Amino acid sequence: MATATTPLGTFQTVQLTYHAADHVLHVEFNRPDKLNAMTKQFWRELRTCFVNLATHTLSADAAADAWDVRAVVVSGGAASKAFSAGLDLVEFASGFFEGGDDIARGAMRFLAGVDLAQDTFTAMERCPQPVIAAVHGACIGAGVDLIAACDIRLCSSDALFSVKEVDVGLAADLGTLQRLPRVVGNHSWIREVSYTGRTFGAAEARAVGLVSGAAESVGAGHAAVVEEAMRLARMIAAKSPVAVAGTKNVLIHARDHSVAEGLKYVGLWNASMLRSGDLAMAMQASLAKKRPKFAKL
């Protein structure tokens, strides 16, 4: 794998392409020979990417106005036959149970690895910019954990999904069992696919609400789904970045709190965020029937 240095860091297992004119960042997984199976290095790099994006942490030699990102597309990369085969079982078997015969020490090392992976997907969820998953081919195990943390999920007509962890002797522990019930809402279906580990396709994923674009609206392969994801990302990136980030923040808060708490929260949020110049700019542009040009977050 080649190493690439970007304003957000230096990476091997992910490849970043910034489309400046559209304010869209394309994050592609870069382990095609392993079907993008996830390793500790992958989780570290993906986490660094999204934490730095959220905190506006750029490399020392990056220009101050570098990478004005307003939407993110995540894909498996054109060179891979799959979005992700899930956990790298070779690394899992050799490195996750370090600690010798001491059960407590082994458990603590295992938990450290789980925390790293969980924090990575949570960083994607908490990133102010909307994250769109563009799934092609297989999306297995930890791949489902990852897309469950994304704002929007699209898939190609040839996509296949599986909550596979039960087939390798464990409960999914990176977010599927926590986020998927909130994403889909059909607990019977979620329990069925989680208990059986069975594979399901694009049409079923669309029918239950796991993805918002599949089969009839998106063609087969990586290029087709990425094209649709980029189209959607450009639409989002054209909006006020303050309004979009605020909407994402409020939606996450509403998911985890009562309606009454959510209403109070959004009131307090807008009490400060409506002081942004984006409000006046959006109104003026609408009246003039022109596209507004918003400042960087």
Side-chain angles (χ1 to χ4, degrees):
M1 292 178 293
T3 300
T5 300
T6 76
L8 293 177
T10 300
F11 308 103
Q12 281 188 323
T13 63
V14 293
Q15 178 177 312
L16 276 54
T17 304
Y18 175 55
H19 299 268
D22 301 319
H23 302 292
V24 174
L25 177 64
H26 186 188
V27 179
E28 297 176 273
F29 307 151
N30 192 32
R31 298 191 76 213
D33 56 325
K34 301 295 184 182
L35 298 179
N36 295 323
M38 300 180 190
T39 62
K40 288 183 180 179
Q41 180 187 3
F42 169 83
W43 285 320
R44 290 191 198 98
E45 292 186 357
L46 192 62
R47 181 182 182 278
T48 295
C49 170
F50 280 96
V51 168
N52 287 351
L53 184 59
T55 58
H56 307 284
T57 302
L58 300 176
S59 58
D61 59 346
D65 60 348
W67 287 29
D68 179 8
V69 177
R70 304 184 185 184
V72 182
V73 172
V74 175
S75 81
S80 177
K81 296 179 180 179
F83 179 80
S84 176
L87 187 69
D88 188 316
L89 294 177
V90 174
E91 181 180 270
F92 178 81
S94 63
F96 267 77
F97 292 101
E98 297 173 352
D101 294 329
D102 191 304
I103 295 175
R105 286 171 174 78
M108 291 180 71
R109 286 171 174 77
F110 175 82
L111 285 172
V114 171
D115 286 345
L116 170 64
Q118 290 178 345
D119 289 348
T120 298
F121 299 157
T122 297
M124 297 177 68
E125 180 180 65
R126 298 290 173 176
C127 173
Q129 294 87 346
V131 180
I132 304 171
V135 179
H136 81 289
C139 179
I140 306 299
V144 178
D145 290 299
L146 186 152
I147 67 170
C150 294
D151 294 274
I152 299 167
R153 288 156 296 279
L154 307 176
C155 78
S156 62
S157 58
D158 58 352
L160 295 171
F161 303 85
S162 174
V163 183
K164 194 70 172 175
E165 285 83 352
V166 69
D167 283 340
V168 294
L170 69 149
D173 55 7
L174 304 184
T176 289
L177 303 183
Q178 292 71 36
R179 293 187 174 101
L180 212 56
R182 291 170 167 82
V183 168
V184 174
N186 185 333
H187 283 247
S188 175
W189 179 85
I190 291 166
R191 289 169 189 260
E192 177 205 335
V193 296
S194 299
Y195 295 161
T196 65
R198 72 170 176 84
T199 299
F200 57 95
E204 185 173 354
R206 176 73 178 269
V208 299
L210 176 60
V211 299
S212 55
E216 68 274 12
S217 59
V218 179
H222 175 266
V225 70
V226 168
E227 180 182 358
E228 177 64 13
M230 291 296 295
R231 183 192 67 80
L232 187 56
R234 287 192 293 269
M235 289 179 60
I236 294 169
K239 311 300 181 184
S240 160
V242 172
V244 172
T247 299
K248 176 171 180 174
N249 185 291
V250 169
L251 281 169
I252 291 174
H253 182 276
R255 180 196 66 188
D256 299 333
H257 295 79
S258 70
V259 172
E261 291 171 320
L263 289 170
K264 177 63 69 175
Y265 183 82
V266 71
L268 292 171
W269 181 275
N270 275 348
S272 59
M273 292 301 164
L274 286 182
R275 298 177 184 273
S276 163
D278 288 18
L279 180 63
M281 181 176 291
M283 288 184 174
Q284 291 168 5
S286 178
L287 291 172
K289 293 181 170 51
K290 295 182 178 179
R291 179 175 176 174
K293 294 183 179 180
F294 299 106
K296 182 179 181 180
L297 271 179

